[in-house]
Amino acid sequence: MVTDTILRLEGLVKHYPIRKGLFNKQVATKRVVDGVDLEIPGGQTVALVGESGCGKSTLLNIIAGLLEPSSGKVLVDGVEVKGTGVDRGVVFQQYALFPWLTVKKNVEFGLKLKKDITPQQREETAMKYIKMVGLEKFVDSYPKELSGGMKQRVAIARAYAVNPSLLLMDEPFGALDAQTRTQLQTELLRTWEEEKKTCFFITHDVEEAILLASKVIIMSARPGRIREVLDIDIPYPRTQETKILP
Ligand code: ADP
């Protein structure tokens, strides 16, 4: 197993401007993330939990490079994050697929940013991950022809395809029904066994965090800080039955 630190957060702070007063002219700031330090070793699956509005998505979006921190920094493999990059694959709750592209083209999309691969390698890689998520019969389908669970599988395949150092997932199963969620959790457990990727994901479901993660980070609200980091010592491979272990 890889053990080097993949992700390091140093003194991360994020405040948002808030407008109030007459004609919203008065600008104040709201401190959402308030000095977060964190280290995540390679090969681990880490869950971030905390009450709604405590700053989890803000933190993940900063790591993804979609938001700039007000101060502090994010290092991935020792390199400071400055915007988005193929070293980080991101999966959102709402699929974020391109509706005008087929499943295959959606998965290939991120690979186009990689300069060192040929169109044929791009296609082979896309097909490998489409197979991994069991959608080989739907390569030429468009997102609107797929169920929510299938769309999320495409998003997961797309994130894996670029072979990122770090997978970031913001409530990846939050929009799915209970049965589909259970099915995708089981698939992810299997995939993680095979790929051993470092994964940082947000969930509001503590059972899901314990099922999937080797570390659970609990974030507190106002101020948004790391309250506790728990090691989940249940050995892998885990199954859905892990949830009901005493
Ligand atoms: P969580 O993911 O834990 O639910 P978020 O990171 O989405 O929390 O939001 C944390 C807080 O920051 C919330 O109070 C939210 O309303 C606020 N917030 C999020 N995005 C913005 C923004 N762009 N401008 C102002 N406030 C924001």
Side-chain angles (χ1 to χ4, degrees):
M1 180 187 281
V2 198
T3 51
D4 294 346
T5 300
I6 294 279
L7 176 65
R8 185 200 287 268
L9 310 183
E10 289 179 2
L12 268 196
V13 173
K14 178 70 184 175
H15 28 76
Y16 290 116
I18 41 171
R19 294 182 177 274
K20 52 186 186 181
L22 196 59
F23 305 118
N24 279 339
K25 277 200 164 164
Q26 204 181 323
V27 180
T29 56
K30 172 160 125 184
R31 195 174 258 249
V32 174
V33 176
D34 189 22
V36 168
D37 295 297
L38 192 67
E39 264 193 26
I40 293 181
Q44 292 223 7
T45 301
V46 178
L48 179 64
V49 299
E51 68 180 77
S52 181
C54 73
K56 303 183 296 296
S57 294
T58 300
L59 197 61
L60 187 130
N61 285 331
I62 293 173
I63 299 169
L66 294 164
L67 268 181
E68 245 186 78
S70 306
S71 60
K73 56 184 172 183
V74 176
L75 298 142
V76 175
D77 281 333
V79 178
E80 189 174 349
V81 161
K82 300 268 183 205
T84 54
V86 285
D87 56 341
R88 283 148 291 143
V90 192
V91 177
F92 296 101
Q93 182 174 347
Q94 288 299 341
Y95 330 120
L97 302 179
F98 298 114
W100 61 88
L101 295 180
T102 62
V103 166
K104 190 164 90 187
K105 295 288 177 201
N106 261 289
V107 177
E108 277 187 17
F109 186 83
L111 289 164
K112 287 197 175 151
L113 298 171
K114 293 202 155 191
K115 302 273 177 270
D116 51 347
I117 63 170
T118 64
Q120 195 194 339
Q121 285 169 322
R122 197 159 65 213
E123 189 172 342
E124 281 166 12
T125 309
M127 286 309 298
K128 173 180 168 193
Y129 289 97
I130 289 169
K131 279 192 191 131
M132 178 184 89
V133 296
L135 287 181
E136 57 271 46
K137 291 202 183 117
F138 297 88
V139 278
D140 296 320
S141 302
Y142 286 87
K144 66 171 189 284
E145 300 169 275
L146 307 177
S147 68
M150 288 157 93
K151 281 189 242 191
Q152 200 55 308
R153 288 197 182 107
V154 179
I156 291 169
R158 186 177 59 185
Y160 267 96
V162 293
N163 193 22
S165 301
L166 183 64
L167 261 182
L168 301 166
M169 302 195 179
D170 191 347
E171 299 239 21
F173 312 131
L176 306 175
D177 61 83
Q179 196 184 343
T180 312
R181 190 180 318 146
T182 304
Q183 204 179 355
L184 277 192
Q185 285 169 345
T186 309
E187 279 176 23
L188 264 197
L189 278 170
R190 197 201 62 222
T191 308
W192 284 337
E193 282 303 311
E194 281 168 22
E195 298 266 331
K196 301 253 187 298
K197 278 249 167 292
T198 311
C199 179
F200 185 78
F201 74 101
I202 294 177
T203 179
H204 62 264
D205 179 349
V206 175
E207 267 193 349
E208 180 172 285
I210 293 171
L211 172 69
L212 299 177
S214 54
K215 247 183 219 311
V216 176
I217 296 169
I218 303 169
M219 196 165 168
S220 65
R222 292 173 299 277
R225 289 189 186 147
I226 305 297
R227 197 170 71 199
E228 217 173 331
V229 179
L230 301 172
D231 287 314
I232 310 296
D233 293 327
I234 305 167
Y236 293 89
R238 296 181 190 167
T239 63
Q240 289 293 333
E241 283 68 46
T242 304
K243 282 185 185 169
I244 48 170
L245 284 178

